[in-house]
Amino acid sequence: MKLNIALTGNPNSGKTLLFNEITGEDQSIGNWPGVTVEIATKQIIYKEHQITMADLPGIYSLVPHSPEQTMACDFIIGKNGVPPEIIIDVVDVTNLERSLYLSTQLISTGLPIVLALNMYDELEASNFAIDIDELSSQLGVPCVPISAAKRKGLAELLDVALDLHHWKLETNAGNIWRRFSPDLMAELEMVAHQIKPNDGPDYLDRRWLAQQILEEHDYWHDVTPTVKGDKWEAAFGSERYRIVAEINAVVFHRQSQFIRQRLSRKIDALTCHRVLALPIFLCVMAIIFFFSFGPPGQFVTAPFDYLLHSILPAFFQKGLTAAPAWLSGLFLDGIWAGVAGILVFLPQLIILFFFLALLEDSGYMARAAFIMDRLLKSFGLAGTSFIPMILGFGCSVPAILACRNMENIKQRKLTILAVPFMSCSARLPIYAMFAASVFAAHQGTVIFSLYILGMIFGLLTALFFSKFVYKGGKGVFVMEIPPYRRPIWHCIWRRLWLRIWDFIARACPVLIVASVGIWFFSNYSFALQPTATSGEENMLQGFGKLIAPLLTPLGFGDWKAAVALMIGFLRKEAVVSTLAILYGGGGELALSSILSTVFSPAAAYSFLVFALLYTPCVATVAVMRKEGGSWRFALMSIAYQLAVAWGVAFVAYQLLSLVL
């Protein structure tokens, strides 16, 4: 039997974590809202049923206010097809009253609903309880206590959903509608009676359709009874808040604030302080970079480098003794040199991703957005822009997609233009290599300065375009601040593994292809003759020498550096592997010694600045075109970033040449 189930709920209610735990999928999760920006689906087999599970973007109401909310609402009511056969409304029981507003709207549609009472273990730990039977009776739908983080109650939830579908049980929407005031119900019934059988889907409650008409949402334009009025949305909203408060008062055994919430407020008094908040945030990030790229990160990287560039190449060399020289060179100097040049930085990336996962899971990332709101407004952005900008430190592609949560189109475009300046994880190998080569005693400081520089130019970019291109349209920052939570370690490890695997899966295929291409172009001339015997100039030299003069004022006019930056357009990680191949491989230590002789400190930092600010990878450009609405937008961003990268790198090189 086939069954379609949709997971909905408020942002940060845990629905994506529930989706991952049920399906084994790897959707992004975090203790902050706005993580899910599109519908994710996955098929599973449960008790001989083929279930298609859909994870919808978080919503607070069935009245959408953004493209993602519209997409979720349309999916729920089946506006673009058929509705899901079962809807699981994921409710944060630690914020039950807030969550029930959406629940009552869903129930009012008459669609089959199951309430998943998530985080019930946290509720019990705070000495609170909900009368689940009474809640189910009040709402007219089954309610199942679960803990997605601890994988409790998931089987019971699916069993209830299957029973609901098997017995064709319908949601009793009357349990909610009968609570409305007689005056409102009289208006609803009058409009509902005017709706013809074919005017709207027969699976939706006619009273809910009547409400949409009264509020002039016009989900179905052919439903046009004559009765309409103003301020209906406010009237129905007020009634729902009253109904939710009444239900909450009945089912909760105690009415007071949670201990966890009181503790969160005490911590926030320091971390969200008007003066101390920003310095604390910068200190937290500086500590993370110290552990990732300072002595601790270097300590764990050294033996890994020895394994990748000494032990394994020697092993491969023995296995290739009978192979032709070209094949041995292709594998060792091409493929392995490129791939190993990236894998060597995995220990440092693991440390960085681990700390970032801790910040997300604890709830601090939401505070960071709040902290940055005041600063961002002065640059033409809103606090919601900080969420995509933070995501940009991982990868620019999902960061730009997260801009969909922004209602204001001008704010969205400004944020999309700013995001590529956030230093993504793909650039980390470049920083780590040059910092270890030229700035060995100050690696953490150098890398931290690049992250700060990227944020500065991201903000300046938003300011420039808000003043001269996308004028006006300042957004209002509205964001839920979740309470601090104790990190859930299996979620941390899973998120860490998925990020590392995503890094490897994205980088390695491109690097293998790029490494083979680089080896070929560096060993053959334009006449396709081996340069080792013909003595001709290889193809890469030809390409690089065309670009190198443009980079000479920046301090690195070497054709090899030019070629590496060209290859970086495919994947930024490929810059390091390209340099490793062009400079002869030999491992991180060998490449470090070479780079320290080729690049002066001023030239090395200029190279890092250019790598930070210049054109993002081809995948990011494609997403920018899609989300920005045109190739003109994407090409404008490319041209702007190239100009900024060249100008800032030039200034950095000239100034540092005077002092270093």
Side-chain angles (χ1 to χ4, degrees), residues 403-470:
C403 295
R404 295 177 181 177
N405 284 323
M406 305 177 67
E407 300 176 23
N408 188 291
I409 186 64
K410 293 182 179 179
Q411 289 283 320
R412 192 183 308 166
K413 288 188 174 183
L414 289 175
T415 307
I416 290 173
L417 290 168
V419 161
F421 289 100
M422 304 301 107
S423 187
C424 66
S425 59
R427 293 182 172 97
L428 282 174
I430 309 174
Y431 306 159
M433 174 56 68
F434 276 84
S437 305
V438 188
F439 309 100
H442 308 284
Q443 293 187 51
T445 303
V446 169
I447 295 175
F448 183 63
S449 72
L450 292 170
Y451 274 77
I452 296 298
L453 189 66
M455 294 183 66
I456 290 173
F457 276 94
L459 295 176
L460 292 176
T461 295
L463 179 63
F464 173 80
F465 281 95
S466 68
K467 295 291 186 182
F468 300 104
V469 181
Y470 303 112

Side-chain angles (χ1 to χ4, degrees), residues 176-197:
I176 300 300
W177 289 120
R178 63 180 174 81
R179 294 175 174 270
F180 281 81
S181 68
D183 292 341
L184 280 180
M185 287 305 301
E187 294 287 348
L188 274 178
E189 295 292 349
M190 182 169 58
V191 174
H193 284 307
Q194 298 180 55
I195 300 175
K196 300 177 182 178

Side-chain angles (χ1 to χ4, degrees), residues 317-363:
Q317 186 70 59
K318 290 181 180 179
L320 294 169
T321 51
W326 69 267
L327 180 60
S328 177
L330 171 62
F331 182 80
L332 293 174
D333 300 328
I335 296 174
W336 183 250
V339 174
I342 294 301
L343 295 182
V344 71
F345 300 105
L346 278 182
Q348 292 172 307
L349 291 178
I350 289 172
I351 297 173
L352 177 66
F353 290 159
F354 172 76
F355 280 111
L356 291 179
L358 280 179
L359 294 184
E360 293 176 9
D361 212 50
S362 66

Side-chain angles (χ1 to χ4, degrees), residues 3-70:
L3 176 63
N4 296 317
I5 298 178
L7 297 180
T8 189
N10 292 166
N12 204 48
S13 62
K15 57 180 179 56
T16 299
L17 177 58
L18 176 62
F19 175 83
N20 288 345
E21 296 297 342
I22 291 177
T23 65
E25 195 57 58
D26 56 355
Q27 294 298 305
S28 298
I29 58 175
N31 186 22
W32 53 329
V35 178
T36 305
V37 296
E38 55 189 6
I39 298 174
T41 60
K42 181 68 178 289
Q43 287 188 350
I44 63 170
I45 302 297
Y46 181 76
K47 294 186 176 180
E48 300 181 352
H49 289 77
Q50 182 179 316
I51 300 175
T52 300
M53 192 77 64
D55 178 29
L56 309 183
I59 56 175
Y60 289 106
S61 151
L62 288 181
V63 181
H65 296 287
S66 72
E68 293 66 46
Q69 295 174 13
T70 300

Side-chain angles (χ1 to χ4, degrees), residues 10 31 54 83 93 107 124 192 207 257 262 283 285 354 357 377 384 403 465 467 502 509-510 526 579 605:
N10 292 166
N31 186 22
V93 292
I107 295 169
E124 292 179 323
R207 290 162 293 191
Q257 295 293 324
R262 292 200 298 268
C283 287
M285 298 306 297
F354 172 76
K377 282 182 178 178
T384 47
C403 295
F465 281 95
K467 295 291 186 182
D502 181 69
V510 176
F526 285 102
L579 291 173
Y605 196 79

